[in-house]
Amino acid sequence: MDMDMDIMEIIDMMEDTINKASTVPLTGKIMLDKDELLDYIQEMRLVYPEQLKESKWVKTERQRILEEAQERADQIKKSAEEMQEQLIDEHEITRQAYEKADAIRDMSERDARETKQDVETYVDDMLADVEHRLDLLLRKVREDREEHMNS
């Protein structure tokens, strides 16, 4: 079997094998090729760890980027709050401080939103790439199966 298959493809092949199996008269049971099903199970054991590792990496990477974005937003917010406290000396300075603090807060919130959007786009692109590669592999498996069935 092809190492680039995914679990769902193997399950589809097993389901196809079961659906095409001969029935035992009067029992409602079917006859299956034991070796063929064991091959499918072995293939799932080989494929599953790689797919799980890739999924965990994407999830970990997404979480890391989100945490970095949150830390950056928190640092910007903390910096803005500290600056606001320092500028409360006089009325004019206080007014200017509020304006500047608001601008910094708005900028930090905008930066945080942009960073979060960038992270979401990055994760979506990664998942789309994985999906595209899996689609290509699925097409190849189907073509190979069809070629095998027609030969």
Side-chain angles (χ1 to χ4, degrees):
M1 287 188 188
D2 186 358
M3 286 297 294
D4 291 331
M5 268 193 268
D6 70 8
I7 297 294
M8 293 310 297
E9 290 176 73
I10 298 167
I11 291 172
D12 288 344
M13 291 180 348
M14 289 175 71
E15 185 178 32
D16 190 47
T17 299
I18 291 168
N19 286 332
K20 291 180 180 177
S22 302
T23 58
V24 178
L26 304 175
T27 66
K29 296 182 180 187
I30 58 173
M31 293 175 29
L32 295 171
D33 181 347
K34 177 182 175 181
D35 291 334
E36 185 178 2
L37 287 178
L38 289 175
D39 285 344
Y40 289 142
I41 292 169
Q42 180 62 29
E43 184 66 21
M44 284 193 287
R45 284 187 177 132
L46 294 173
V47 169
Y48 183 73
E50 187 59 36
Q51 289 182 342
L52 181 62
K53 183 171 38 170
E54 190 170 309
S55 296
K56 284 182 179 179
W57 179 84
V58 169
K59 181 180 176 185
T60 301
E61 188 65 13
R62 178 182 182 273
Q63 186 60 35
R64 182 189 66 78
I65 291 169
L66 287 173
E67 287 172 2
E68 284 179 9
Q70 185 61 48
E71 286 177 20
R72 183 170 178 229
D74 290 345
Q75 289 171 350
I76 292 170
K77 181 179 178 183
K78 182 178 178 185
S79 175
E81 289 170 352
E82 289 171 357
M83 187 177 292
Q84 184 178 15
E85 289 175 13
Q86 291 173 357
L87 297 175
I88 298 182
D89 292 346
E90 297 175 16
H91 178 65
E92 182 62 22
I93 294 174
T94 301
R95 186 186 61 73
Q96 292 172 356
Y98 280 120
E99 290 175 5
K100 188 164 186 157
D102 288 343
I104 291 171
R105 186 183 65 246
D106 292 345
M107 183 180 68
S108 68
E109 290 173 355
R110 186 182 67 245
D111 286 350
R113 282 191 306 271
E114 289 173 2
T115 301
K116 184 177 179 181
Q117 180 61 41
D118 290 346
V119 167
E120 293 296 334
T121 300
Y122 173 77
V123 169
D124 187 58
D125 289 347
M126 291 291 297
L127 290 173
D129 182 55
V130 169
E131 179 182 12
H132 176 71
R133 287 188 282 146
L134 289 174
D135 283 343
L136 291 175
L137 292 173
L138 178 59
R139 249 185 259 127
K140 176 67 176 147
V141 167
R142 286 183 176 146
E143 289 171 8
D144 290 346
R145 284 184 61 207
E146 186 172 317
E147 182 179 299
H148 175 72
M149 296 302 284
N150 291 335
S151 63

